[in-house]
Every structure is written in structure tokens, then in C-alpha cells.
Amino acid sequence: MSIRRLPSDLINRIAAGEVVERPASALKELVENSLDAGASNVAVKLSAGGLERVEVVDDGCGMTRDDMALSLERHATSKLPDAAIEDVVSFGFRGEALPSIASVSRFTMESRTGDSDGWKLVVDHGEKIEEGPAALPPGTRIKVEGLFDKVPARRKFLRTPRSEYTASLDVMRRLAMAAPQVGFTLDHDGRRVIEVQPQSPPERVAALLNPQLQKNGLGLDTQRGDMRMTGVVSLPTFNRGMGDQQYLFVNGRPVKDRLLVGALRGAYRDLLARDRHPIAALFLDLPTHEVDINVHPAKTEVRFRDAQGVRGLIVGGIRRALEEAGHLSANREQLAQPAAWQVEPVGTTSSPNPERPVEAAAYARPDDLAAHPGQPSVWEARAAFAAPPQARAEIAEAPPPQAAQYPLGAARGQVAATYIVAEAEDGLVIVDQHAAHERLVLERMRAAREGEEIKRQPLLIPETVEMDETDCERLEEAADELAQLGLEIERFGPGAMLVRATPAPLGQKVKAPQLLADIAAELAELGSSVTLRDRIDLVAGTMACHGSVRAGRILSVHEMNALLREMEATPHSGQCNHGRPTWVKLAHGDIEKLFGRK
Ligand code: ADP
Ligand code: MG
């Protein structure tokens, strides 16, 4: 057998398989070239998801006629690193993209520098078929048509125009977020999809992902050693059903890394339900020796030298920002636009009957809510008999004069035995009592855990709970962790657990079988992917849900105020353990609008 050199068009085609897999990856290479060329505006047009045509026009430095020819040669690049290859700051430098793309499409390139005339070059599947002068402003215009049309082996991996378009949109978003100082447009089949002017990074992120992020997002800026993280994350209450709007940029370059998913999950642990996801755009800047961006030809994967440190920076930075935002809830405009409030004429059945006597202190209990979390029964039972509508106002002893100065105001009544209505200085506050209380129980459990173990409430007669064997295994394995949380259990035969004590903050009414089942499910889902600390935190959240005041329980004004004051004093009380808001506020201005006074 003799060894032969591969013909160059074949080499290019092989490279194309690595660098350009689909229209979106060609698009990525072209736009990156435009950014490397110092463009201040990049205009992109796609037809049929890019399958028919990808066109990128920029106003960057442009190329001379000679450089254009050279740019189509393999490993020809103007971005040759003088210094170490790790220190390259441009997007490209391998000189593979243009020859690869041109070998698997019909490729038209027009370019002009500031001080030369424009030139045009047409290449059909690696073969130059046309060239000549072209009229265009300084910059570059590249058109890629029929990508992989003549390469059936590749073509069959392409999907529908719709999903190719989605991939291209994702590429555009990432690059436009990475370069907020550049203006971008994207047209798909003649429709304008993206149009952004140069703007600040947070403005750019909001413009591309969700304008409401301006009000429901938190800005980040944290430093750790020589690493820095900036960016925007959504408030826990402003979440999504998919983790698709989570972006990571390393030294200005969009990357995909699984580390992001885990770090975000850690940062929002106990603030979001497992099936809800935050929106995030994180920009990491770290010394080039800390990161290897070039592990993949398309340069979208990274390798961090200190992955734990990076994770810590992300989790810690977001945690702190959330902490500082305190009991901040989602912006009321998003949750309760006046339009969403029912305005009904007085006298309809659903408005409280003015003639119905106010059920004054009938249900009032003088004792303090905080001392009896998860208090049972009589109250719930009575609530069940109370005829609808369950709106109820209680003549409160005149609230202390400064009551209205509290951020969550003074309790004025309870609605549907589920919501507390309070009057604050600047508006009307509505609290979901179950969601709020659940949060408080969790925070109490946490506070109690700082330093020592949570108090246990021993059961007079230990309770046996039958469960399937794998669940028993999981619980038995976690018995020490659970003991720290105040739950004392032991294995009782192959298919049962014995409960000796439950966490005191959950109150007396905990139902052991449900509690154990939920914890077992939680443990199964977490697996070993999560640190012990995170595991304990998540399990504590599950427990808190079992110990909180249910919707439907009548509260006294005293209890309501105690709940409000405790919420104010508790971090993260603005959202329940599942990321739903615990309270909303209707400002005076909004009320006036409802009544047409403004
Ligand atoms: P790389 O970006 O890795 O250098 P490419 O194949 O993507 O390789 O591009 C080859 C060269 O062509 C670049 O180094 C650059 O000099 C030139 N080039 C490509 N696109 C543009 C553009 N839009 N404006 C100016 N020069 C460009
Ligand atoms: Mg390039």
C-alpha cells in the first residue's frame, strides 16, 4: 500500500464536517469573522432556516482582492497569534471555516477595505467559478447557498427548516449577547426577528431574552481571586419551564458547558421547583491560563483548570445577589397587572355581601403563630363549614401607629381563608399564607441548623412506615443527614422504616408516611450529583412543605401580623420553596387606575 496525500478539496470537506455541521454553525463562523473584523453592524439574512441561504453583511475592515483569495486557503488566517496560542482573543485563528464552508456550498464573497475597490468571488463546492469587481461599501458580504446540497452523507443529518432556524436563532442570541457594543439584525424568510442597537450588556440580554428581565432580573458583579463574573439572572419568581435561556460566556466567547446547569441549580436550590429554571446570562473573565477554549474545533466547549473554583464563583455570586434582593418578589406588574384584577359591579354574588355581618373575633386565637407552627385542626374544620364567600374582616385593635411603615403593612383581613390582605404605606399587600409559611418554616429549620442540630419532637409511640425496599435503602443511607434535620428514623425490616422523632419546627401534625415518601423521592432524584450540604437543604425544603399552615386555615389578625413581621425578618421570604411569589403588592397608583381616577 502506498501513502498518498489527500486532495485539498477532500481535506476541506472533512474539515467541514467538523466545523460546519449545519447552517447554524456556518452562520456562527461567519458572524464571528465579522466581529473579529471589528464590525460595528452585522446584518444576517436566512432563507428556509439557512438551508437555502445564509447571508452575513458587515461593516468591518474588509479584505483586499489578494486576501480574499488567501482567506479560502486552508490554515490561512490573519489572526496568527504572535504570543502563546492560549492567549488568542479573536474568535477565529485556525483558518478553516471559509475553505470548509466554500467546499460544501455555493459561496459568494464580496469585500472591500477602506482604501481599495470592492471585489467579488464565487466558489461552487470548492471551485472558483466567477470573479470580478463589485460595488459595495467598506466591509464584507458573504452568501452561502445550498449548504450540503451535494453532500448527501451530511445533508441527511440536517433537520427541518424550522429546527435549523431555531439553532441559528440561538447562535445569533449568543453572539449578540457576547458583543453588546455591536448592532445586529436577523431576518428570516423576509421577517425581521432581531434588531438591536449598541447597548449595555444587561440591556442587550433583556432585549434578546425577555424585556421584563429589566425589572425582574438581578445584575451580578463578583470577583474571586483573578476571576470575575458579571451578568444578569432572573429573580426566582421569574422562571421558565425550560432551561433554554441560560447562557455562559467565557472571556467574551459564548460557550456551552454543563457546569453552568449544575451551578445554577445550586444557586437556586430551594428557591425553585425542580422543573422550573431561571434565566441567566453569565460573563466570566478569567486569565487565559485558567481556561482551555480550544478543546473542540467549533470552540464552544471549555475546560476550566479550576472547575470547582468557577462553580463556587457562580453559585456564591448569584446567592449573594439573591440574598441582597432579600424578600423581593417578582415585580407586581408581571404578576398582577391591573387587567388581571377582576373589576365587578357592586352587588354581584362574588363580592362580599355588605349586609352579611362581619364575623368578628369568632375565630381569633390569641396565641402566637410562631410558637405553634402547623397548628391543627379545629380551625381548619371550622373553616370547612364556613359558607362561601369566605371573605372576612376582623376589627383589629388599632394597629400600632407605625404598622403602615412596615414593608408588608398591617393585616386587615383574610380572604378565602387563604390570602392575607394587609395595608402598607404605599399600597395593598396580598400574601399567600401557605406559600409564605412554608418558606418561613424552611428558613427556621435552616437557622436552627446553623451550629447545632435541629430540635426533635420524639413520638410517644414510634411509627412504622411501610415503603418499598429501594426507598428504605435510600432513607437508611441518609439517616445521619436526616437526623441533623431532626428526623430520627431507622430501618425496620426489609420493607419498613421506624420513625422515632420528627423535626420540631414542623409541629405536631406531620404525617410521617407522606413525609418519608417525599424525602425518598427527593433523594432518588438528587442521586449523588449533589453535595451533602445541598442535599440537606433540599430535603429541608421538602420537610418544610409538610409543616406549614395550609390554605384554608382561618388566622387571627394577631397571627397574620406575626406572619407578616416574620416574613420581613426572613431572607428569601419573597418566594416560596417552589419559586412562586409569596406576596404581591398593588400600589396606590394601580388602585387609582382600576377606578379610573388616573
Ligand atoms: P479564521 O477566522 O480562523 O482566521 P476563517 O476561515 O474563518 O479563519 O477566515 C480566514 C480569514 O479570512 C480570516 O483570518 C480573516 O483574515 C479573513 N476574513 C474572514 N471573514 C472576514 C470578514 N467578514 N471581514 C474581514 N476579513 C475576514
Ligand atoms: Mg473564522
Side-chain angles (χ1 to χ4, degrees):
M1 238 194 312
S2 60
I3 297 178
R4 283 196 305 143
R5 222 174 251 288
L6 288 173
S8 68
D9 62 331
L10 193 53
I11 295 177
N12 286 337
R13 224 172 266 182
I14 293 169
E18 289 171 11
V19 186
V20 285
E21 299 165 322
R22 60 197 298 190
S25 36
L27 175 66
K28 169 178 174 293
E29 295 293 337
L30 297 179
V31 174
E32 286 184 351
N33 281 345
S34 297
L35 295 176
D36 282 346
S40 47
N41 271 295
V42 179
V44 175
K45 289 192 176 119
L46 301 174
S47 303
L51 292 168
E52 275 172 22
R53 181 177 58 129
V54 176
E55 188 182 314
V56 177
V57 181
D58 69 52
D59 59 356
C61 65
M63 281 174 275
T64 61
R65 186 177 157 177
D66 290 346
D67 280 347
M68 285 170 75
L70 210 52
S71 75
L72 291 172
E73 274 174 35
R74 216 171 142 65
H75 299 311
T77 177
S78 58
K79 305 161 195 171
L80 237 180
D82 293 325
I85 206 157
E86 291 75 30
D87 291 339
V88 172
V89 290
S90 57
F91 284 104
F93 69 82
R94 300 162 72 115
E96 297 184 294
L98 294 191
S100 303
I101 298 169
S103 73
V104 290
S105 69
R106 187 185 160 94
F107 181 90
T108 308
M109 173 159 67
E110 294 165 278
S111 195
R112 187 187 143 191
T113 65
D115 46 31
S116 70
D117 291 332
W119 193 251
K120 174 178 179 175
L121 206 60
V122 184
V123 178
D124 192 3
H125 293 81
E127 219 175 289
K128 186 164 80 188
I129 56 166
E130 190 191 324
E131 97 180 290
L136 75 161
T140 303
R141 174 198 308 254
I142 290 179
K143 195 161 65 176
V144 177
E145 289 165 296
L147 187 75
F148 291 130
D149 264 358
K150 296 189 183 161
V151 192
R154 282 277 151 198
R155 176 96 209 170
K156 71 169 186 245
F157 288 111
L158 298 178
R159 285 183 273 159
T160 62
R162 188 81 223 154
S163 58
E164 294 302 334
Y165 162 68
T166 308
S168 285
L169 183 60
D170 188 57
V171 163
M172 280 297 284
R173 282 192 173 147
R174 285 176 198 274
L175 287 168
M177 275 189 258
Q181 76 286 1
V182 175
F184 288 87
T185 56
L186 170 64
D187 293 282
H188 183 224
D189 290 336
R191 191 171 64 89
R192 176 66 39 108
V193 190
I194 290 179
E195 179 162 7
V196 282
Q197 307 294 325
Q199 53 202 155
S200 74
E203 281 171 343
R204 174 60 59 89
V205 171
L208 290 170
L209 297 186
N210 191 326
Q212 299 210 34
L213 211 50
Q214 290 272 35
K215 284 181 178 164
N216 291 292
L218 292 174
L220 306 170
D221 193 347
T222 336
Q223 189 102 24
R224 176 192 263 211
D226 42 16
M227 297 190 276
R228 180 169 177 211
M229 174 180 71
T230 54
V232 187
V233 290
S234 60
L235 289 176
T237 37
F238 194 68
N239 53 46
R240 285 171 69 74
M242 283 200 298
D244 59 337
Q245 293 198 348
Q246 303 181 339
Y247 298 89
L248 180 64
F249 301 84
V250 176
N251 293 342
R253 191 191 288 276
V255 298
K256 292 182 179 158
D257 196 282
R258 295 198 27 195
L259 175 136
L260 176 67
V261 177
L264 285 175
R265 185 121 173 71
Y268 285 80
R269 61 168 190 265
D270 66 50
L271 294 175
L272 279 180
R274 187 141 308 100
D275 57 347
R276 305 301 302 175
H277 306 269
I279 299 173
L282 307 182
F283 299 82
L284 298 180
D285 284 293
L286 48 168
T288 45
H289 66 262
E290 287 283 346
V291 55
D292 181 6
I293 298 239
N294 307 306
V295 274
H296 185 261
K299 301 176 292 282
T300 52
E301 283 167 27
V302 278
R303 196 173 292 148
F304 295 107
R305 198 178 56 78
D306 176 17
Q308 267 316 311
V310 171
R311 186 182 189 277
L313 174 71
I314 297 178
V315 176
I318 298 178
R319 260 336 249 195
R320 209 161 318 121
L322 291 169
E323 204 95 25
E324 273 161 26
H327 67 140
L328 188 61
S329 192
N331 191 283
R332 72 188 138 73
E333 279 172 40
Q334 178 237 333
L335 290 155
Q337 305 105 337
W341 288 68
Q342 248 180 316
V343 186
E344 282 182 278
V346 180
T348 59
T349 44
S350 63
S351 52
N353 185 342
E355 271 152 62
R356 194 186 159 87
V358 170
E359 297 172 78
Y363 296 127
R365 280 195 309 130
D367 45 0
D368 180 12
L369 166 78
H372 299 268
Q375 182 75 20
S377 62
V378 181
W379 314 106
E380 277 172 7
R382 287 184 94 152
F385 288 114
Q390 293 189 331
R392 176 183 83 99
E394 191 178 305
I395 312 296
E397 61 280 25
Q402 79 282 26
Q405 308 291 333
Y406 289 121
L408 296 178
R412 291 291 180 226
Q414 194 184 16
V415 179
T418 300
Y419 305 102
I420 298 169
V421 178
E423 180 181 355
E425 195 183 17
D426 54 344
L428 185 69
V429 173
I430 301 177
V431 176
D432 177 333
Q433 67 188 42
H434 171 66
H437 195 239
E438 185 177 323
R439 184 79 222 170
L440 295 179
V441 173
L442 172 62
E443 294 296 338
R444 253 186 247 154
M445 289 188 63
R446 276 221 192 114
R449 213 185 63 224
E450 298 288 306
E452 6 97 67
E453 291 185 352
I454 290 180
K455 263 233 201 97
R456 300 176 197 183
Q457 169 91 48
L459 303 186
L460 289 179
I461 308 156
E463 188 173 348
T464 330
V465 178
E466 291 187 10
M467 312 186 74
D468 85 47
E469 210 168 325
T470 20
D471 281 348
C472 289
E473 297 290 338
R474 286 199 184 99
L475 287 167
E476 191 181 11
E477 235 166 66
D480 289 344
E481 293 166 47
L482 297 173
Q484 286 181 44
L485 292 169
L487 179 66
E488 198 181 321
I489 51 172
E490 61 193 60
R491 189 70 178 259
F492 196 65
M497 301 298 298
L498 194 67
V499 183
R500 294 197 174 277
T502 55
L506 299 192
Q508 322 231 350
K509 243 191 77 186
V510 221
K511 297 194 177 75
Q514 268 121 302
L515 181 63
L516 291 200
D518 282 2
I519 295 174
E522 177 91 40
L523 291 172
E525 204 173 322
L526 294 178
S528 52
S529 64
V530 185
T531 64
L532 183 66
R533 207 201 122 93
D534 287 357
R535 253 161 75 113
I536 293 184
D537 255 357
L538 290 164
V539 170
T542 304
M543 289 188 179
C545 187
H546 285 262
S548 43
V549 166
R550 296 281 147 192
R553 181 165 145 226
I554 303 285
L555 301 176
S556 71
V557 165
H558 187 66
E559 287 176 309
M560 294 187 232
N561 276 318
L563 188 69
L564 297 178
R565 300 294 83 80
E566 196 177 346
M567 284 172 71
E568 284 156 3
T570 304
H572 299 311
S573 66
Q575 57 276 316
C576 77
N577 306 341
H578 312 294
R580 291 188 296 274
T582 55
W583 60 272
V584 294
K585 184 183 273 180
L586 192 60
H588 284 152
D590 294 336
I591 300 176
E592 280 163 10
K593 270 190 222 139
L594 281 174
F595 289 102
R597 282 169 168 263
K598 236 174 151 182

